[in-house]
């Protein structure tokens, strides 16, 4: 599943304008250059901003085609006037994507909870169980019956509790079958995210090497420590391998949507982001190094790592790991999926 490039560029322009930002300098202007524009955004903007834009363009926009053309919010989301997130990746007892965490009562009133990753999201696309089928619901975050709350360092955002919340729109039935809309959208989004997001841990590791080189002189410099060099080298090798796989994209093993390559690469991506952040935090705490400029750019005060922004996409490592295991036939399908 792909998003028409002109729609993607329109959405990117609107989303950046809404944040008081502009398209990157010298960004291509024609509609077929939306991916190049996203590449520039990942190079010049903080992780949280770039990841949110990637999710809306490669995750949200393709799924809007499952709604009736005249459904509320669609035009505003496509124009980038409304920031929308995916609520597809909510952990449950099975850590399974195929079991919607939200149910519909009276067809349009929603109950349950979902996880979303974009801090300034004004709406979410959420899977809902209705009439023994899975549908997508558009939920506005300011609607009655919606309570937003955080977890960990995501104070005030990251999770939504629904208690009789209205659905702004409901899609036609969708499913997680190998050729289904949800699977195709997830795989396309996973490739688009992995190819770009792996540049973030690569920059952080490079920052750490420079910081180690400055910490001390001669044979006592921290950069001469075999232990620290080995720790960073492991990350560098794994990031390089994952980046190579991500660059192949959907052509990797000529695999169709629903295969293992997209999720294996995505799992490596989310795990490397998490591990790199932890390594940098440990080195800052234990060795007195400064935080990586690449890592603190999401916070004006540069006081903490943006843990929620780093780990919330795709529901985190455990959700991605379980989806890969499901595709490998290692776990059963969720009941009622």
């Amino acid at each position: 599943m792909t998003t028409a490039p002109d729609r993607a560029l329109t959405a990117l322009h609107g989303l950046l304008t809404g944040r008081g930002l502009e398209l990157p300098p010298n960004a291509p202007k024609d509609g077929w250059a939306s991916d190049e524009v996203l590449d520039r955004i990942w190079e010049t903007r903080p992780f949280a901003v770039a990841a949110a834009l990637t999710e809306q363009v490669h995750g949200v926009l393709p799924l809007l085609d499952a709604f009736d053309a005249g459904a509320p919010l669609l035009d505003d989301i496509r124009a980038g006037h409304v920031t929308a997130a995916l609520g597809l990746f909510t952990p449950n007892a099975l850590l399974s994507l195929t079991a919607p965490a939200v149910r519909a009562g009276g067809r349009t009133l929603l109950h349950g909870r979902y996880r979303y990753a974009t801090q300034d999201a004004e709406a979410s696309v959420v899977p809902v169980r209705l009439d023994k089928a899975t549908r997508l619901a558009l939920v506005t975050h300011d609607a009655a019956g919606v309570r937003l709350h955080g977890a960990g360092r995501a104070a005030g955002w990251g999770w939504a509790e629904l208690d009789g919340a209205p659905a702004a729109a409901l899609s036609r039935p969708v499913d997680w079958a190998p050729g289904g809309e949800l699977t195709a959208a997830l795989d396309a989004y996973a490739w688009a995210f992995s190819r770009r997001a792996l540049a973030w841990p690569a920059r952080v590791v490079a920052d750490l090497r420079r910081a180690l080189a400055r910490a001390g002189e001669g044979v006592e410099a921290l950069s001469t420590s075999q232990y620290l060099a080995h720790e960073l080298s492991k990350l560098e090798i794994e990031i390089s391998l994952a980046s190579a796989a991500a660059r192949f994209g959907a052509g990797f093993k000529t695999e169709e949507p629903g295969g293992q390559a997209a999720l294996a690469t995505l799992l490596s991506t989310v795990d490397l982001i998490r591990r790199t952040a932890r390594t940098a935090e440990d080195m800052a705490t234990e060795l007195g190094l400064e935080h990586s400029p690449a890592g603190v750019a999401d916070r004006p005060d540069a006081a903490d790592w943006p843990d929620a922004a780093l780990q919330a996409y795709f529901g985190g490592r455990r959700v991605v790991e379980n989806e890969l295991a499901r595709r490998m036939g290692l776990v059963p399908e969720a009941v009622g999926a």
Side-chain angles (χ1 to χ4, degrees), residues 2-337:
T2 59
T3 300
D6 55 331
R7 290 197 320 186
L9 199 64
T10 298
L12 283 172
H13 187 272
L15 291 165
L16 287 169
T17 301
R19 289 172 166 83
L21 305 173
E22 296 180 354
L23 288 173
N26 301 319
K29 301 301 183 187
D30 69 276
W32 293 98
S34 56
D35 274 345
E36 287 83 355
V37 173
L38 260 184
D39 290 341
R40 301 282 181 86
I41 289 171
W42 275 95
E43 293 170 0
T44 58
R45 302 297 180 191
F47 181 97
V49 172
L53 297 179
T54 302
E55 179 169 275
Q56 182 140 345
V57 168
H58 285 283
V60 174
L61 292 187
L63 291 177
L64 296 185
D65 293 337
F67 293 84
D68 290 338
L73 288 185
L74 293 189
D75 289 343
D76 284 340
I77 294 174
R78 285 177 173 139
H81 300 324
V82 171
T83 300
L86 291 179
L88 301 180
F89 312 111
T90 302
N92 50 42
L94 297 174
L95 295 176
S96 173
L97 300 182
T98 62
V102 175
R103 65 188 186 280
R107 299 194 64 81
T108 57
L109 295 182
L110 309 179
H111 300 267
R113 69 170 192 158
Y114 63 86
R115 183 181 186 181
Y116 66 97
T118 301
Q119 181 172 0
D120 57 355
E122 302 162 272
S124 292
V125 178
V126 184
V128 176
R129 196 71 181 166
L130 175 64
D131 297 336
K132 298 182 179 181
T134 298
R135 298 175 184 265
L136 298 175
L138 273 176
V139 179
T140 56
H141 288 180
D142 60 355
V146 178
R147 182 178 72 87
L148 305 182
H149 63 93
R153 296 186 185 183
W157 67 277
W159 292 83
E161 296 281 347
L162 306 181
D163 184 11
L170 285 170
S171 77
R172 62 175 178 270
V174 294
D175 61 55
W176 287 102
E181 290 170 288
L182 294 180
T183 299
L186 170 58
D187 285 17
Y189 172 34
W191 286 122
F193 179 86
S194 296
R195 182 171 68 82
R196 297 175 172 90
L198 283 165
W200 185 87
R203 289 198 300 271
V204 172
V205 171
D207 288 343
L208 289 175
R209 285 205 179 276
R210 286 189 287 269
L212 289 173
R214 293 193 299 268
E217 297 178 357
V219 295
E220 294 184 358
L222 287 174
S223 59
T224 65
S225 166
Q226 291 185 358
Y227 170 75
L228 297 177
H230 177 65
E231 198 166 5
L232 294 180
S233 293
K234 285 193 301 182
L235 284 173
E236 285 175 328
I237 292 170
E238 291 184 52
I239 292 168
S240 176
L241 292 173
S243 297
R247 283 194 297 271
F248 280 107
F252 189 56
K253 293 186 176 180
T254 62
E255 190 172 67
E256 296 296 323
Q260 299 171 19
L263 268 293
T265 305
L266 177 63
L267 177 58
S268 295
T269 299
V270 297
D271 187 55
L272 284 165
I273 289 171
R274 181 185 63 86
R275 286 168 50 203
T276 300
R278 294 284 67 75
T279 298
E281 183 69 32
D282 289 346
M283 289 189 175
T285 301
E286 297 174 4
L287 306 178
L289 301 182
E290 295 181 359
H291 275 297
S292 160
V296 300
D298 293 87
R299 296 182 60 90
D301 58 4
D304 294 299
W305 287 83
D307 284 348
L310 292 174
Q311 299 189 52
Y313 286 90
F314 299 93
R317 176 176 55 86
R318 291 181 179 87
V319 171
V320 176
E321 187 175 58
N322 191 81
E323 173 62 12
L324 175 59
R326 184 184 73 85
R327 294 186 181 193
M328 296 172 68
L330 301 178
V331 296
E333 295 286 344
V335 176

